[in-house]
Amino acid sequence: NAGVMQNPRHLVRRRGQEARLRCSPMKGHSHVYWYRQLPEEGLKFMVYLQKENIIDESGMPKERFSAEFPKEGPSILRIQQVVRGDSAAYFCASSPPAGLDEQFFGPGTRLTVL
Amino acid sequence: GQQVMQIPQYQHVQEGEDFTTYCNSSTTLSNIQWYKQRPGGHPVFLIQLVKSGEVKKQKRLTFQFGEAKKNSSLHITATQTTDVGTYFCAGPAAGNNRKLIWGLGTSLAVNP
């Protein structure tokens, strides 16, 4: 039973480029959460999605950032026109449709903006 | 807004000493969860507490949930170098029990 998968693990982008981060939740999980973490800091909630729906995007910047979780395929966090301040680790977590609220985290994508 | 606060932010201990981190919520929680993140790693779920006054143990780790369900603690007895990492507590957001509100974490360093 594979865990939460994220790719790429490391991503380097130049300022102004687009970054596309992918997350495949655990099998059977329909809830996906994206977090951002700066070095030596805590987890900052960005967005919570269920299949084809954004449930809560209160932590996501209004501009340049978007997220989706299509019916088929992984969840995507998209950052357009990246700036140096976007450099961080981005973690995806998933949880099952019912039962415990426990979140299972992927290994993260380390984004570096040059 | 709803907040979860953790103290201390950092803790250095000698191997063999005990360690405690405290978590306080601004609101009553239906449950509280604890996660551990090793340096360079990702958060890993440790435990969930649901009942008022609940105490759970995992080997050298003892977790408590306060009577009012607004605070919690994690105590590690006789720390080892493998305990190094950041410990986060998190509780469900009000009105939306799938989103979690996270504390900022307590980073534990253990000197051998």
Side-chain angles (χ1 to χ4, degrees):
Chain A
N1 187 13
V4 178
M5 299 176 69
Q6 288 188 251
N7 67 81
R9 295 290 303 274
H10 299 274
L11 181 61
V12 179
R13 284 287 178 265
R14 297 191 180 279
R15 280 179 297 170
Q17 290 184 320
E18 178 179 289
R20 200 172 276 238
L21 287 60
R22 294 175 186 77
C23 169
S24 295
M26 285 183 70
K27 187 176 180 181
H29 285 195
S30 56
H31 299 250
V32 165
Y33 316 82
W34 284 93
Y35 295 90
R36 178 162 68 177
Q37 187 176 44
L38 294 170
E40 308 296 321
E41 293 192 8
L43 293 166
K44 182 184 184 319
F45 167 80
M46 298 183 73
V47 62
Y48 159 32
L49 311 101
Q50 290 183 33
K51 281 287 187 181
E52 299 185 274
N53 290 306
I54 295 175
I55 306 302
D56 186 328
E57 56 182 350
S58 58
M60 201 149 71
K62 294 283 188 284
E63 297 179 354
R64 302 189 299 109
F65 285 73
S66 62
E68 62 176 10
F69 189 15
K71 188 176 180 181
E72 302 290 338
S75 175
I76 306 286
L77 178 67
R78 186 176 171 216
I79 312 173
Q80 295 178 292
Q81 299 175 329
V82 295
V83 300
R84 289 218 174 105
D86 296 332
S87 296
Y90 292 84
F91 290 100
C92 164
S94 72
S95 64
L100 293 177
D101 303 322
E102 172 189 348
Q103 294 185 7
F104 297 81
F105 280 78
T109 294
R110 270 75 177 171
L111 172 66
T112 302
V113 180
L114 301 177
Chain B
Q2 186 181 0
Q3 288 186 311
V4 172
M5 292 146 286
Q6 267 186 271
I7 55 169
Q9 189 175 357
Y10 302 98
Q11 184 83 56
H12 277 82
V13 298
Q14 286 295 128
E15 190 170 22
E17 291 181 338
D18 292 357
F19 160 77
T20 304
T21 173
Y22 299 91
C23 181
N24 290 287
S25 170
S26 58
T27 61
T28 301
L29 300 170
S30 59
N31 68 76
I32 194 150
Q33 301 174 33
W34 285 91
Y35 292 75
K36 177 183 178 182
Q37 183 178 24
R38 293 180 186 274
H42 59 276
V44 174
F45 174 81
L46 293 177
I47 207 161
Q48 178 174 267
L49 304 171
V50 179
K51 298 177 184 174
S52 169
E54 188 170 14
V55 178
K56 285 188 176 180
K57 292 193 174 188
Q58 290 180 350
K59 298 183 180 177
R60 294 178 295 103
L61 277 61
T62 301
F63 303 84
Q64 290 188 308
F65 199 11
E67 294 290 340
K69 301 183 77 173
K70 293 182 72 174
N71 55 66
S72 181
S73 65
L74 158 59
H75 180 81
I76 303 179
T77 304
T79 54
Q80 299 175 0
T81 54
T82 53
D83 296 325
V84 165
T86 301
Y87 294 85
F88 294 98
C89 63
N96 179 345
N97 64 5
R98 282 293 179 173
K99 174 184 170 181
L100 294 177
I101 305 299
W102 293 77
L104 292 181
T106 296
S107 292
L108 172 64
V110 179
N111 297 327

